[in-house]
């Protein structure tokens, strides 16, 4: 039962590798410099597709940014930036390799739920594929050489996206953030720095990459994640035990608004979705697995615009968003 | 030219000296030792009785010293340029980013304490 609740708190796992071509300036503007890497990835991995950044429409680019698949850095590189992607729907896995980011190569694999190990295995394979055909900057002393010295060593970032409403509302998250600083682990709001997180979503990741093996980093991030999840469950139960009626009322009000609103902004919808997800974790109201997690991303402005040609104005998007949420909630409630 | 303060070592840098009221030529050792100079001068020439003035002179020198030495240091390091990508160390100080993988060899001495601080090893 407890492991099921932990599963509900962990939205996704992500492993990211940074790699650079030896001796080539990190901010190279050379045309077609990344084409050979894109070809290598596609030759050795089936189902991968590539695209130049200047070929992406602004709408699609913004939607991919909202879904945390592309960074601001890569989107601004219209000179030679590229992406190579793959989606494994069966395994709920997205792979997105950014070429021409702050580092030449950023391999990132995202799994739904707790899945750092499988994400790491895929990222490692792609990294090995590239290293067999291209000379990558690396020294025995510093590991992989990166644009920013903070990424030296394994150049790996393992991160978990978590839903932590109770720790946020009781302000305990601030203590956790401070305590983790000494352990070389960072926790930050998904949509911004600091403790203010939209939708109570946080990203927990390793701070340093040098001096630890990839496996040790993964183990440490997973261990901290489990500890935080257990704490969140405990605080959720405490809050509910102390004021069950108030909590239930707020959750059902959020359900009412999301089910019946004619227009709703992404900020308001996110806040109510967070209450609904808390209700789901507490067992007050149940939905099919992952439905609420998907909604957090599907209701973002650019994502709605890419799915609806009419959704150009904020008002139209608010109407489409309200309809989408009410439809999903109606059909996915258990 | 000999250092105007210790008169022993070769002077490599000019620094503004409130004590002398002008720019003086000093060696790298004396660049960071302004207090010693002021003590020597004040204790020899003034003696007891004008303590506050001596203290204020010392403070003035101390407050000037770090910024001057850091400016001199920066101007020296500014000339360090990566042989592969022509990236300057001064650019790293502004952006915390390097120019290419060879920069790690070019700026090895300057980067060592920063890397130690970031990664704790």
């Amino acid at each position: 039962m407890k492991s099921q609740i932990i599963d509900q708190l962990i939205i996704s796992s992500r492993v990211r590798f940074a790699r650079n071509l030896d001796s080539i300036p990190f901010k190279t503007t050379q045309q077609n410099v990344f084409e050979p890497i894109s070809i290598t990835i596609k030759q050795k991995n089936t189902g991968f597709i590539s695209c130049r950044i200047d070929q992406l429409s602004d709408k699609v680019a913004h939607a991919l940014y909202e879904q945390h698949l592309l960074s601001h850095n890569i989107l601004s590189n219209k000179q030679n930036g590229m992406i190579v992607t793959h989606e494994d729907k069966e395994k709920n896995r997205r792979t997105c390799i950014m070429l021409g980011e702050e580092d030449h190569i950023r391999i990132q694999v995202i799994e739904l739920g707790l899945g750092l190990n499988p994400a790491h295995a895929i990222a490692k394979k792609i990294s090995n594929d590239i290293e067999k055909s291209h000379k990558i900057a690396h020294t025995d002393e510093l590991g992989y050489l990166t644009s920013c010295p903070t990424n030296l060593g394994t150049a790996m970032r393992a991160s978990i996206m978590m839903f932590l409403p109770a720790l946020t509302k009781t302000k305990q998250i601030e203590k956790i953030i401070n305590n983790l600083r000494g352990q070389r682990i960072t926790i930050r709001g998904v949509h911004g720095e600091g403790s203010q997180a939209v939708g109570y979503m946080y990203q927990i990741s390793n701070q340093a990459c040098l001096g630890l093996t990839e496996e040790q980093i993964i183990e440490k991030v997973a261990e901290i994640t489990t500890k935080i999840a257990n704490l969140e469950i405990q605080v959720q139960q405490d809050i509910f035990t102390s004021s069950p009626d108030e909590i239930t009322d707020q959750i059902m009000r959020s359900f009412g608004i999301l089910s019946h609103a004619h227009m709703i902004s992404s900020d308001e919808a996110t806040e109510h979705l967070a209450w609904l997800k808390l209700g789901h974790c507490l067992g007050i109201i149940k939905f099919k697995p992952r439905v609420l997690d998907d909604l957090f991303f599907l209701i973002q402005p650019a994502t709605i615009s890419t799915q609806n040609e009419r959704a150009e104005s904020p008002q139209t998007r608010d109407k489409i968003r309200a309809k989408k949420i009410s439809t999903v909630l109606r059909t996915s409630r258990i | 030219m000999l250092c105007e303060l210790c008169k022993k070592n070769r002077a490599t840098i000019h620094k503004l000296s409130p004590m002398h009221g002008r720019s003086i030529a000093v060696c790298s050792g004396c660049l960071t030792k302004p207090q010693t100079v002021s003590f020597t001068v004040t204790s020899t020439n003034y003696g007891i009785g004008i303590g506050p003035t001596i203290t204020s002179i010392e403070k003035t020198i101390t407050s000037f010293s770090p910024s001057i030495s850091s400016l001199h240091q920066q101007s020296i390091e500014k000339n360090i340029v990566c042989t592969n990508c022509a990236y300057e160390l001064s650019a790293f100080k502004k952006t915390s980013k390097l120019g290419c993988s060879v920069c790690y060899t070019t700026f090895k001495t300057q980067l060592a304490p920063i890397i130690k601080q970031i990664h704790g090893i």
Side-chain angles (χ1 to χ4, degrees), chain A residues 10-163:
Chain A
I10 296 171
I11 311 298
S12 62
S13 307
R14 175 188 303 245
V15 169
R16 188 221 69 196
F17 282 155
R19 301 286 183 262
N20 285 286
L21 296 168
D22 195 37
S23 303
I24 293 187
F26 296 135
K27 279 193 172 178
T28 179
T29 52
Q30 195 185 321
Q31 287 298 307
N32 303 324
V33 68
F34 301 123
E35 284 285 352
I37 302 169
S38 160
I39 291 166
T40 300
I41 298 166
K42 287 188 286 183
Q43 276 175 347
K44 299 192 175 175
N45 299 277
T46 50
F48 279 62
I49 54 165
S50 65
C51 177
R52 286 165 50 125
I53 295 299
D54 62 359
Q55 289 171 336
L56 280 178
S57 73
D58 287 347
K59 221 190 265 183
V60 171
H62 196 178
L64 292 169
Y65 174 76
E66 280 178 353
Q67 292 166 34
H68 303 280
L69 289 168
L70 296 186
S71 66
H72 178 73
N73 262 346
I74 190 75
L75 291 176
S76 58
N77 181 3
K78 294 192 189 292
Q79 279 184 301
N80 59 8
M82 290 184 75
I83 51 168
V84 187
T85 68
H86 178 254
E87 185 175 9
D88 188 334
K89 286 188 177 166
E90 203 179 304
K91 291 179 178 163
N92 286 322
R93 177 186 298 144
R94 292 285 290 267
T95 305
C96 186
I97 300 125
M98 295 183 275
L99 303 173
E101 223 266 3
E102 177 186 306
D103 293 294
H104 294 147
I105 307 160
R106 286 267 174 115
I107 304 163
Q108 47 174 0
V109 183
I110 302 131
E111 297 258 340
L112 284 187
L114 184 58
L116 284 178
N117 284 317
H120 173 251
I122 300 290
K124 189 79 186 165
K125 188 208 172 284
I126 295 169
S127 172
N128 288 341
D129 291 341
I130 296 169
E131 283 182 64
K132 278 176 197 162
S133 312
H134 306 271
K135 197 176 177 200
I136 296 298
H138 181 276
T139 67
D140 290 343
E141 189 189 0
L142 297 175
Y144 290 100
L145 303 180
T146 50
S147 167
C148 184
T150 50
N151 291 322
L152 284 172
T154 58
M156 185 184 90
R157 201 69 72 199
S159 58
I160 302 271
M161 194 191 289
M162 286 189 87
F163 175 66

Side-chain angles (χ1 to χ4, degrees), chain A residues 22-23 25-26 102 137 141 145-150 152 184 208-210, chain B residues 84-85 92 96-102 104 108 111 115 118-121:
Chain A
D22 195 37
S23 303
F26 296 135
E102 177 186 306
E141 189 189 0
L145 303 180
T146 50
S147 167
C148 184
T150 50
L152 284 172
R184 300 162 88 190
C209 313
L210 191 63
Chain B
N84 181 58
C85 70
F92 171 73
S96 301
K97 305 276 161 57
L98 288 154
C100 73
S101 54
V102 182
Y104 281 97
K108 190 175 179 178
L111 289 174
I115 291 169
I118 297 169
H119 296 278
I121 55 166

Side-chain angles (χ1 to χ4, degrees), chain B residues 5 15 17-20 24 30 33-47 50-51 53-63:
Chain B
L5 294 177
K15 67 172 275 188
S17 167
M19 289 296 294
H20 291 76
I24 56 168
C30 289
K33 293 180 191 168
Q35 295 92 335
T36 315
V37 180
S38 72
F39 267 118
T40 312
V41 175
T42 52
S43 59
T44 311
N45 299 339
Y46 299 100
I50 50 167
T53 316
I54 294 168
T55 313
S56 71
I57 292 168
E58 285 170 14
K59 276 183 182 167
T60 312
I61 297 167
T62 315
S63 64

Side-chain angles (χ1 to χ4, degrees), chain A residues 91-290:
Chain A
K91 291 179 178 163
N92 286 322
R93 177 186 298 144
R94 292 285 290 267
T95 305
C96 186
I97 300 125
M98 295 183 275
L99 303 173
E101 223 266 3
E102 177 186 306
D103 293 294
H104 294 147
I105 307 160
R106 286 267 174 115
I107 304 163
Q108 47 174 0
V109 183
I110 302 131
E111 297 258 340
L112 284 187
L114 184 58
L116 284 178
N117 284 317
H120 173 251
I122 300 290
K124 189 79 186 165
K125 188 208 172 284
I126 295 169
S127 172
N128 288 341
D129 291 341
I130 296 169
E131 283 182 64
K132 278 176 197 162
S133 312
H134 306 271
K135 197 176 177 200
I136 296 298
H138 181 276
T139 67
D140 290 343
E141 189 189 0
L142 297 175
Y144 290 100
L145 303 180
T146 50
S147 167
C148 184
T150 50
N151 291 322
L152 284 172
T154 58
M156 185 184 90
R157 201 69 72 199
S159 58
I160 302 271
M161 194 191 289
M162 286 189 87
F163 175 66
L164 304 171
L167 291 174
T168 309
K169 287 197 174 290
T170 56
K171 298 193 185 300
Q172 292 194 46
I173 195 73
E174 288 160 22
K175 285 183 200 163
I176 294 173
I177 290 171
N178 286 331
N179 289 342
L180 285 177
R181 284 201 181 112
Q183 299 191 47
R184 300 162 88 190
I185 296 282
T186 304
I187 176 164
R188 70 182 79 178
V190 166
H191 295 282
E193 301 281 328
S195 57
Q196 288 301 312
V198 178
Y200 311 108
M201 297 286 185
Y202 293 85
Q203 198 93 38
I204 295 153
S205 59
N206 61 304
Q207 204 169 22
C209 313
L210 191 63
L212 291 169
T213 65
E214 291 167 4
E215 289 74 18
Q216 284 170 329
I217 291 170
I218 285 173
E219 201 179 315
K220 192 163 184 178
V221 173
E223 180 196 316
I224 300 277
T225 300
T226 310
K227 278 185 186 168
I228 295 175
N230 282 322
L231 202 58
E232 167 69 24
I233 292 168
Q234 192 190 319
V235 178
Q236 279 186 12
Q237 296 296 343
D238 290 348
I239 291 176
F240 185 64
T241 309
S242 65
S243 17
D245 290 333
E246 286 81 355
I247 297 286
T248 307
D249 183 56
Q250 182 58 57
I251 290 163
M252 298 315 289
R253 278 171 186 274
S254 289
F255 180 56
I257 290 168
L258 291 173
S259 301
H260 298 289
H262 180 65
M263 292 171 78
I264 194 162
S265 70
S266 57
D267 283 353
E268 189 187 356
T270 303
E271 175 67 20
H272 290 304
L273 273 173
W275 276 106
L276 220 52
K277 187 161 168 62
L278 177 61
H280 180 74
C281 293
L282 288 167
I284 295 168
I285 187 165
K286 286 299 222 183
F287 295 92
K288 287 177 189 168
R290 303 280 163 212

